[in-house]
Structure formats: structure tokens, C-alpha cells
Amino acid sequence: MKKIYKYLKKHLTKERYLHTIGVAYTATSLAMKYNPDTTNSQFIKKAEIAGLLHDCAKCMDNNKKIKLCNKNNIKYTSFEAEQPYLLHGKVGAFIAQSKFDINDEDILNAIKWHTTGHPDMSLLEKIIYIADYIEPSRRPIQELDEIRKLAFEDIDKAMQIILLNTLNYLNKKGNPIDTMTQKTYDSYCLNISKQEKQIYE
Ligand code: DGI
Ligand code: FE
Ligand code: FE
């Protein structure tokens, strides 16, 4: 753990470091709430590690991210090549494995997919995706405190609202949508009623 903190301190900006610590303890809290096996704290520990490392590649230069992918056979789409910041999850998972010997697939996937999500996410993946959005130092957006409460009551509903907000935000800004972000949205949100959607527009 000491090694991870040292790496984060060195490679992240102050704001990103604070965000990271916030995601780690928010993810840990969610893991306590949703722990599938309360006879041990393995799941809680996993959430802490994934939270700490989810943005470990966020502050890396874009060219360096692409180079690192090329060098290590990490596949990326042409869309990701055009929007290289989307690659910080994949690169982050690579760093977690190669630098910190993390081989737990669930942790690696939670880091890898934390920006776009993917259909059929595991409990740990959802926890990191949500913690990233609700941690205390996140710039306040509409209904954030409602979503924070919801995250601890109904994790799938919280996923839906966050995906809905993210897609609305990207569309409003005219930012192009990655196919995986769209697929995630489709798999979690297609059954939301029009009426419900309007509440969050
Ligand atoms: O790294 P963080 O800022 O903590 O959070 P993140 O990794 O979830 O990245 C959040 C940003 O990524 C947010 O502004 C929305 C954006 N994003 C998510 N999916 C897509 C996307 N941006 C584009 N252009 N396309 C996407 O599909
Ligand atoms: Fe991120
Ligand atoms: Fe983040």
C-alpha cells in the first residue's frame, strides 16, 4: 500500500490525488454496504485498491499513453486514439498489474472500465464507477446528494441515473460518445420510462 500511495503522490496532481483518496474511501464504504461475503473483508480491500488505482494513469501525457499501449500490445480503438484521455483506464489497469503485481481480474477490470462502463458490470466495477462520480470532492452537479444517497440504497438505480446524466452531459457539450459508453447506457437504461428520464433532464 505504501508503494501505491508513493506512486500516486508522484504522478498525480494535487486535485487528482485528493479525488483518488475520495474514490478509495467512497468505494470502501459502498463495499461495506454491499459486501457479498461478510465473513471476511477481502471485497472491501479490493474496492480500496481499485479506488486508489483507478486514475493512476490520468495525468500521463497522451502521447505516452499511446506509446505505452503500442509497446505492450494493449489494444485500443481509433476512437480512443482520437480521444486518448479515454485510455487512462486501460493504461491504469496495465500499471496496476505490471507495477503493483495486482492480478485480480475484477480489480483490473474495475480500473479498466471505470470511464465508459460496460454491459453486465460486476459489483466491484459498479462500485468504482459510482464512487468515481459521487466522492465528496467531485464538483457539485445537480442532484448529486440525491444520487449519493441512492448509491447506498439501490446500486443499479444509481448506475442508471449516473449513466443518464453522463450521456446528457456529453450530448449537451457535443462531445462524441464512445461505443462502449453507448452500449453501457443501452444495457442499463433502455427500460427507464420516458417520464422518469424527464425528471433528470
Ligand atoms: O477520470 P475522472 O475525471 O475521475 O472520471 P472518468 O474517468 O469517468 O472520466 C470522466 C469524463 O469522461 C467525463 O467528463 C465524461 C467522459 N466520458 C465518459 N464516456 C465518454 C466520455 N467522453 C467522451 N468524449 N466520450 C465518452 O463516451
Ligand atoms: Fe478516470
Ligand atoms: Fe476518477
Side-chain angles (χ1 to χ4, degrees):
M1 288 303 257
K2 246 191 177 164
K3 201 178 146 197
I4 293 180
Y5 279 98
K6 206 171 157 194
Y7 182 93
L8 296 174
K9 261 253 143 77
K10 186 173 171 199
H11 289 92
L12 301 182
T13 62
K14 203 171 171 204
E15 289 74 36
R16 187 57 51 183
Y17 182 80
L18 287 177
H19 160 72
T20 294
I21 302 302
V23 172
Y25 64 67
T26 304
T28 310
S29 308
L30 285 166
M32 289 177 185
K33 158 81 187 173
Y34 294 108
N35 189 359
D37 178 3
T38 46
T39 63
N40 69 75
S41 51
Q42 217 182 357
F43 186 71
I44 296 163
K45 198 74 203 159
K46 280 192 197 193
E48 185 186 14
I49 293 171
L52 279 176
L53 287 172
H54 85 285
D55 270 345
C56 70
K58 181 81 177 187
C59 299
M60 187 187 282
D61 181 77
N62 279 337
N63 287 330
K64 199 172 166 193
K65 281 192 206 101
I66 299 274
K67 268 192 199 158
L68 186 145
C69 287
N70 292 338
K71 198 173 159 205
N72 296 286
N73 270 326
I74 301 169
K75 290 199 179 69
Y76 55 90
T77 62
S78 53
F79 187 85
E80 287 170 324
E82 281 163 30
Q83 317 277 338
Y85 71 93
L86 289 174
L87 278 173
H88 73 275
K90 284 184 184 170
V91 174
F94 174 79
I95 291 171
Q97 189 167 36
S98 56
K99 246 193 161 28
F100 301 107
D101 288 325
I102 289 162
N103 291 301
D104 183 286
E105 281 301 320
D106 207 13
I107 297 180
L108 296 176
N109 282 330
I111 300 171
K112 188 170 172 182
W113 299 111
H114 82 266
T115 304
T116 62
H118 72 86
D120 289 320
M121 287 160 82
S122 74
L123 179 59
L124 186 68
E125 289 173 320
K126 288 180 198 169
I127 284 176
I128 298 303
Y129 186 87
I130 291 171
D132 197 14
Y133 197 83
I134 67 169
E135 63 91 8
S137 74
R138 251 295 174 227
R139 226 170 279 139
I141 50 138
Q142 230 188 334
E143 315 109 20
L144 187 54
D145 285 309
E146 237 177 88
I147 299 170
R148 284 175 169 145
K149 187 165 185 280
L150 187 63
F152 286 87
E153 292 167 352
D154 185 339
I155 196 166
D156 286 312
K157 193 87 211 152
M159 277 300 298
Q160 287 186 324
I161 305 300
I162 294 171
L163 280 161
L164 203 60
N165 276 357
T166 302
L167 265 281
N168 281 341
Y169 167 81
L170 292 173
N171 283 327
K172 241 178 239 161
K173 282 196 54 168
N175 288 358
I177 313 282
D178 186 75
T179 43
M180 194 52 91
T181 304
Q182 187 65 49
K183 274 189 196 169
T184 312
Y185 175 84
D186 290 346
S187 87
Y188 284 95
C189 299
L190 280 189
N191 62 352
I192 305 180
S193 68
K194 268 210 180 104
Q195 201 186 6
E196 220 176 336
K197 270 186 189 164
Q198 270 162 2
I199 300 174
Y200 289 96
E201 292 222 324

